[in-house]
Amino acid sequence: MTKTKRTRKTKTMRNLALTAALLLILALLLAFDAINGDPLSQQWAIHRAIRYAEKLYPGQTFHWDERTAADGQFFNYMVYVQSDQSRDTNFAVQTRFWLLTDDEIRGMELEPTHTFYVDHRWNTCYRLGNEAAQQAAAYLTVQAPELNFASVYGAKGNTVEIDLCYTEQDGMTPANYVDDLPLDAAFDKALLQKVPSRLCAQVLCDGKPTEADMQTVLHTLKQVLESNDMPITYYDITLVPTDDYADHSAFMADVLESGLTSADTIA
């Protein structure tokens, strides 16, 4: 083999080794990116999500919710966008492989997130239910001080929960009451005359609660709320004993649940 041929072969081997090394580095970078994401891709996904939302809702501008942007695992970035003009207009948008952007999120195959949360009023329903619960709690605190509520609902530990648009057959179905749930409207007690509702609460009791205790609590709740123009369709109440229990199963045996109870059946 001549010196020229040996030189060419050496250069070829070096080029192949360099190419292999670069490909390995690229593969490692892609693998790392697939697991951890990267800030540039995230910013690109945020940009695309905002543009996507503004096309869906012309005339509105959007920003992204910094608390809930996903990290880009497997080249999938999910960004929650919020309208600057409408507090109820917020939903999730995903960008896959930098170019594919939509809001048809896995696990929600029935409809896109903007349809579900905004157009079908889930955001509005949740918000108004929370406002209704806060107003109901204010009445109960003053007018039924004998009831000791546990603070267990929502991130802020509300004492009662009110689910609007609730029926025994279908659960919460705000899409059936879109006309009664205008976007961004403040809670009005008249809404409870238009849509069915469920109130949930846990009431703490000294000693083992009895069925008589349950009927007293249900009667008090209904009386206070209806006297303040807040008729509730269903009540779902749990009486929780506050005594010390060494055995969890014994404690659970003493917890008393009303189950879903129609207001029409409460004396």
Side-chain angles (χ1 to χ4, degrees):
M1 181 181 297
T2 65
K3 184 176 181 180
T4 301
K5 289 183 178 180
R6 285 198 300 270
T7 301
R8 289 177 179 173
K9 184 176 180 179
T10 300
K11 288 182 177 179
T12 300
M13 295 299 292
R14 287 177 179 174
N15 289 337
L16 289 174
L18 179 60
T19 301
L22 290 174
L23 289 174
L24 179 60
I25 292 172
L26 179 61
L28 291 173
L29 288 174
L30 287 174
F32 180 84
D33 197 17
I35 296 173
N36 299 285
D38 68 87
L40 290 178
S41 295
Q42 185 185 71
Q43 290 302 312
W44 174 246
I46 291 170
H47 169 79
R48 289 185 63 86
I50 291 174
R51 299 290 83 79
Y52 180 88
E54 290 176 347
K55 288 181 180 179
L56 283 176
Y57 296 97
Q60 297 190 46
T61 57
F62 285 78
H63 63 273
W64 70 291
D65 186 342
E66 296 186 19
R67 296 167 300 171
T68 52
D71 57 11
Q73 287 189 343
F74 304 108
F75 312 109
N76 179 48
Y77 292 82
M78 188 183 299
V79 178
Y80 286 77
V81 291
Q82 170 66 59
S83 169
D84 298 319
Q85 290 77 30
S86 168
R87 57 179 170 173
D88 290 344
T89 303
N90 58 83
F91 54 97
V93 180
Q94 65 181 354
T95 294
R96 302 182 303 278
F97 301 103
W98 301 283
L99 295 176
L100 304 175
T101 301
D102 57 49
D103 65 321
E104 297 178 4
I105 308 300
R106 179 179 297 177
M108 296 189 61
E109 286 82 2
L110 296 180
E111 55 190 2
T113 61
H114 80 276
T115 303
F116 182 82
Y117 287 112
V118 182
D119 300 343
H120 287 172
R121 298 296 194 270
W122 275 93
N123 287 341
T124 305
C125 188
Y126 280 134
R127 179 181 57 77
L128 290 177
N130 186 55
E131 292 178 14
Q134 292 176 1
Q135 192 156 342
Y139 289 135
L140 291 167
T141 298
V142 174
Q143 299 176 29
E146 71 276 15
L147 298 183
N148 184 14
F149 293 96
S151 301
V152 295
Y153 298 104
K156 296 182 179 180
N158 296 330
T159 56
V160 299
E161 176 179 275
I162 292 181
D163 301 323
L164 300 176
C165 307
Y166 184 95
T167 64
E168 185 174 3
Q169 297 76 24
D170 302 319
M172 290 179 67
T173 54
N176 295 339
Y177 303 92
V178 169
D179 292 341
D180 298 314
L181 301 170
L183 288 172
D184 308 313
F187 173 69
D188 186 330
K189 290 187 287 186
L191 178 63
L192 295 172
Q193 303 282 358
K194 302 174 183 177
V195 305
S197 56
R198 175 181 68 168
L199 183 142
C200 301
Q202 292 186 17
V203 179
L204 305 178
C205 301
D206 294 330
K208 180 180 179 179
T210 66
E211 187 59 38
D213 294 328
M214 178 64 76
Q215 294 307 313
T216 298
V217 170
L218 288 169
H219 172 79
T220 301
L221 290 170
K222 179 183 178 182
Q223 183 180 51
V224 169
L225 294 177
E226 291 189 355
S227 67
N228 287 281
D229 299 319
M230 292 191 70
I232 301 297
T233 312
Y234 302 100
Y235 291 85
D236 195 346
I237 307 302
T238 302
L239 302 187
V240 181
T242 57
D243 293 348
D244 292 330
Y245 286 83
D247 185 274
H248 181 69
S249 60
F251 166 75
M252 292 304 299
D254 285 351
V255 171
L256 184 61
E257 298 179 336
S258 69
L260 191 65
T261 303
S262 172
D264 295 337
T265 65
I266 299 174

PDB file of all heavy atoms in Angstrom, residues 1-15:
ATOM      1  N   MET A   1       0.853  -1.199   0.000  1.00  0.00           N
ATOM      2  CA  MET A   1       0.000   0.000   0.000  1.00  0.00           C
ATOM      3  C   MET A   1       0.887   1.246   0.000  1.00  0.00           C
ATOM      4  O   MET A   1       1.803   1.362   0.802  1.00  0.00           O
ATOM      5  CB  MET A   1      -0.906   0.005   1.232  1.00  0.00           C
ATOM      6  CG  MET A   1      -1.846   1.204   1.280  1.00  0.00           C
ATOM      7  SD  MET A   1      -2.878   1.190   2.749  1.00  0.00           S
ATOM      8  CE  MET A   1      -3.826  -0.308   2.500  1.00  0.00           C
ATOM      9  N   THR A   2       0.563   2.130  -0.894  1.00  0.00           N
ATOM     10  CA  THR A   2       1.375   3.341  -0.999  1.00  0.00           C
ATOM     11  C   THR A   2       1.069   4.285   0.151  1.00  0.00           C
ATOM     12  O   THR A   2       0.050   4.168   0.848  1.00  0.00           O
ATOM     13  CB  THR A   2       1.106   4.065  -2.318  1.00  0.00           C
ATOM     14  OG1 THR A   2      -0.233   4.524  -2.322  1.00  0.00           O
ATOM     15  CG2 THR A   2       1.345   3.152  -3.504  1.00  0.00           C
ATOM     16  N   LYS A   3       1.999   5.241   0.321  1.00  0.00           N
ATOM     17  CA  LYS A   3       1.827   6.226   1.386  1.00  0.00           C
ATOM     18  C   LYS A   3       0.568   7.040   1.176  1.00  0.00           C
ATOM     19  O   LYS A   3      -0.151   7.362   2.125  1.00  0.00           O
ATOM     20  CB  LYS A   3       3.055   7.125   1.415  1.00  0.00           C
ATOM     21  CG  LYS A   3       3.025   8.144   2.556  1.00  0.00           C
ATOM     22  CD  LYS A   3       4.306   8.949   2.587  1.00  0.00           C
ATOM     23  CE  LYS A   3       4.257   9.952   3.748  1.00  0.00           C
ATOM     24  NZ  LYS A   3       5.495  10.756   3.800  1.00  0.00           N
ATOM     25  N   THR A   4       0.247   7.367  -0.100  1.00  0.00           N
ATOM     26  CA  THR A   4      -0.949   8.163  -0.409  1.00  0.00           C
ATOM     27  C   THR A   4      -2.210   7.414  -0.032  1.00  0.00           C
ATOM     28  O   THR A   4      -3.148   7.991   0.552  1.00  0.00           O
ATOM     29  CB  THR A   4      -0.979   8.519  -1.907  1.00  0.00           C
ATOM     30  OG1 THR A   4       0.206   9.254  -2.228  1.00  0.00           O
ATOM     31  CG2 THR A   4      -2.201   9.351  -2.232  1.00  0.00           C
ATOM     32  N   LYS A   5      -2.222   6.116  -0.342  1.00  0.00           N
ATOM     33  CA  LYS A   5      -3.411   5.321  -0.020  1.00  0.00           C
ATOM     34  C   LYS A   5      -3.578   5.181   1.485  1.00  0.00           C
ATOM     35  O   LYS A   5      -4.693   5.229   2.009  1.00  0.00           O
ATOM     36  CB  LYS A   5      -3.309   3.952  -0.672  1.00  0.00           C
ATOM     37  CG  LYS A   5      -3.475   3.977  -2.177  1.00  0.00           C
ATOM     38  CD  LYS A   5      -3.434   2.573  -2.750  1.00  0.00           C
ATOM     39  CE  LYS A   5      -3.662   2.586  -4.265  1.00  0.00           C
ATOM     40  NZ  LYS A   5      -3.628   1.211  -4.838  1.00  0.00           N
ATOM     41  N   ARG A   6      -2.428   4.994   2.201  1.00  0.00           N
ATOM     42  CA  ARG A   6      -2.512   4.898   3.666  1.00  0.00           C
ATOM     43  C   ARG A   6      -3.027   6.198   4.271  1.00  0.00           C
ATOM     44  O   ARG A   6      -3.818   6.201   5.199  1.00  0.00           O
ATOM     45  CB  ARG A   6      -1.136   4.560   4.237  1.00  0.00           C
ATOM     46  CG  ARG A   6      -0.719   3.110   4.028  1.00  0.00           C
ATOM     47  CD  ARG A   6       0.405   2.735   4.978  1.00  0.00           C
ATOM     48  NE  ARG A   6       1.583   3.575   4.762  1.00  0.00           N
ATOM     49  CZ  ARG A   6       2.558   3.271   3.918  1.00  0.00           C
ATOM     50  NH1 ARG A   6       2.495   2.166   3.178  1.00  0.00           N
ATOM     51  NH2 ARG A   6       3.613   4.073   3.790  1.00  0.00           N
ATOM     52  N   THR A   7      -2.605   7.306   3.712  1.00  0.00           N
ATOM     53  CA  THR A   7      -3.067   8.613   4.208  1.00  0.00           C
ATOM     54  C   THR A   7      -4.559   8.782   3.979  1.00  0.00           C
ATOM     55  O   THR A   7      -5.288   9.253   4.861  1.00  0.00           O
ATOM     56  CB  THR A   7      -2.303   9.747   3.505  1.00  0.00           C
ATOM     57  OG1 THR A   7      -0.905   9.588   3.749  1.00  0.00           O
ATOM     58  CG2 THR A   7      -2.754  11.095   4.034  1.00  0.00           C
ATOM     59  N   ARG A   8      -5.012   8.413   2.789  1.00  0.00           N
ATOM     60  CA  ARG A   8      -6.439   8.518   2.475  1.00  0.00           C
ATOM     61  C   ARG A   8      -7.259   7.619   3.410  1.00  0.00           C
ATOM     62  O   ARG A   8      -8.325   8.004   3.903  1.00  0.00           O
ATOM     63  CB  ARG A   8      -6.695   8.137   1.032  1.00  0.00           C
ATOM     64  CG  ARG A   8      -6.184   9.163   0.021  1.00  0.00           C
ATOM     65  CD  ARG A   8      -6.415   8.661  -1.383  1.00  0.00           C
ATOM     66  NE  ARG A   8      -5.942   9.644  -2.369  1.00  0.00           N
ATOM     67  CZ  ARG A   8      -5.907   9.408  -3.676  1.00  0.00           C
ATOM     68  NH1 ARG A   8      -6.313   8.227  -4.143  1.00  0.00           N
ATOM     69  NH2 ARG A   8      -5.462  10.340  -4.497  1.00  0.00           N
ATOM     70  N   LYS A   9      -6.763   6.401   3.650  1.00  0.00           N
ATOM     71  CA  LYS A   9      -7.477   5.471   4.520  1.00  0.00           C
ATOM     72  C   LYS A   9      -7.547   6.013   5.945  1.00  0.00           C
ATOM     73  O   LYS A   9      -8.582   5.924   6.625  1.00  0.00           O
ATOM     74  CB  LYS A   9      -6.785   4.124   4.505  1.00  0.00           C
ATOM     75  CG  LYS A   9      -7.526   3.056   5.309  1.00  0.00           C
ATOM     76  CD  LYS A   9      -6.852   1.708   5.190  1.00  0.00           C
ATOM     77  CE  LYS A   9      -7.624   0.674   6.004  1.00  0.00           C
ATOM     78  NZ  LYS A   9      -6.996  -0.672   5.902  1.00  0.00           N
ATOM     79  N   THR A  10      -6.437   6.585   6.388  1.00  0.00           N
ATOM     80  CA  THR A  10      -6.409   7.158   7.737  1.00  0.00           C
ATOM     81  C   THR A  10      -7.403   8.307   7.869  1.00  0.00           C
ATOM     82  O   THR A  10      -8.139   8.410   8.858  1.00  0.00           O
ATOM     83  CB  THR A  10      -4.993   7.655   8.062  1.00  0.00           C
ATOM     84  OG1 THR A  10      -4.086   6.563   7.984  1.00  0.00           O
ATOM     85  CG2 THR A  10      -4.943   8.256   9.467  1.00  0.00           C
ATOM     86  N   LYS A  11      -7.438   9.177   6.850  1.00  0.00           N
ATOM     87  CA  LYS A  11      -8.378  10.305   6.873  1.00  0.00           C
ATOM     88  C   LYS A  11      -9.821   9.805   6.854  1.00  0.00           C
ATOM     89  O   LYS A  11     -10.692  10.345   7.540  1.00  0.00           O
ATOM     90  CB  LYS A  11      -8.119  11.223   5.684  1.00  0.00           C
ATOM     91  CG  LYS A  11      -6.833  12.043   5.806  1.00  0.00           C
ATOM     92  CD  LYS A  11      -6.676  12.973   4.613  1.00  0.00           C
ATOM     93  CE  LYS A  11      -5.425  13.840   4.759  1.00  0.00           C
ATOM     94  NZ  LYS A  11      -5.261  14.738   3.593  1.00  0.00           N
ATOM     95  N   THR A  12     -10.057   8.761   6.038  1.00  0.00           N
ATOM     96  CA  THR A  12     -11.413   8.198   5.961  1.00  0.00           C
ATOM     97  C   THR A  12     -11.844   7.638   7.315  1.00  0.00           C
ATOM     98  O   THR A  12     -12.971   7.859   7.764  1.00  0.00           O
ATOM     99  CB  THR A  12     -11.479   7.099   4.888  1.00  0.00           C
ATOM    100  OG1 THR A  12     -11.123   7.662   3.628  1.00  0.00           O
ATOM    101  CG2 THR A  12     -12.875   6.507   4.816  1.00  0.00           C
ATOM    102  N   MET A  13     -10.931   6.913   7.967  1.00  0.00           N
ATOM    103  CA  MET A  13     -11.244   6.341   9.278  1.00  0.00           C
ATOM    104  C   MET A  13     -11.491   7.435  10.307  1.00  0.00           C
ATOM    105  O   MET A  13     -12.392   7.327  11.140  1.00  0.00           O
ATOM    106  CB  MET A  13     -10.096   5.443   9.722  1.00  0.00           C
ATOM    107  CG  MET A  13      -9.888   4.208   8.850  1.00  0.00           C
ATOM    108  SD  MET A  13     -11.346   3.122   8.840  1.00  0.00           S
ATOM    109  CE  MET A  13     -11.325   2.548  10.536  1.00  0.00           C
ATOM    110  N   ARG A  14     -10.663   8.496  10.213  1.00  0.00           N
ATOM    111  CA  ARG A  14     -10.870   9.613  11.139  1.00  0.00           C
ATOM    112  C   ARG A  14     -12.216  10.290  10.909  1.00  0.00           C
ATOM    113  O   ARG A  14     -12.925  10.641  11.862  1.00  0.00           O
ATOM    114  CB  ARG A  14      -9.746  10.628  10.972  1.00  0.00           C
ATOM    115  CG  ARG A  14      -8.405  10.169  11.535  1.00  0.00           C
ATOM    116  CD  ARG A  14      -7.337  11.206  11.254  1.00  0.00           C
ATOM    117  NE  ARG A  14      -6.041  10.796  11.807  1.00  0.00           N
ATOM    118  CZ  ARG A  14      -4.913  11.459  11.600  1.00  0.00           C
ATOM    119  NH1 ARG A  14      -4.929  12.566  10.843  1.00  0.00           N
ATOM    120  NH2 ARG A  14      -3.788  11.031  12.129  1.00  0.00           N
ATOM    121  N   ASN A  15     -12.570  10.459   9.630  1.00  0.00           N
ATOM    122  CA  ASN A  15     -13.861  11.078   9.302  1.00  0.00           C
ATOM    123  C   ASN A  15     -15.026  10.217   9.793  1.00  0.00           C
ATOM    124  O   ASN A  15     -16.018  10.723  10.316  1.00  0.00           O
ATOM    125  CB  ASN A  15     -13.978  11.314   7.802  1.00  0.00           C
ATOM    126  CG  ASN A  15     -13.058  12.422   7.322  1.00  0.00           C
ATOM    127  OD1 ASN A  15     -12.660  13.294   8.102  1.00  0.00           O
ATOM    128  ND2 ASN A  15     -12.695  12.392   6.032  1.00  0.00           N
TER     129      ASN A  15
END
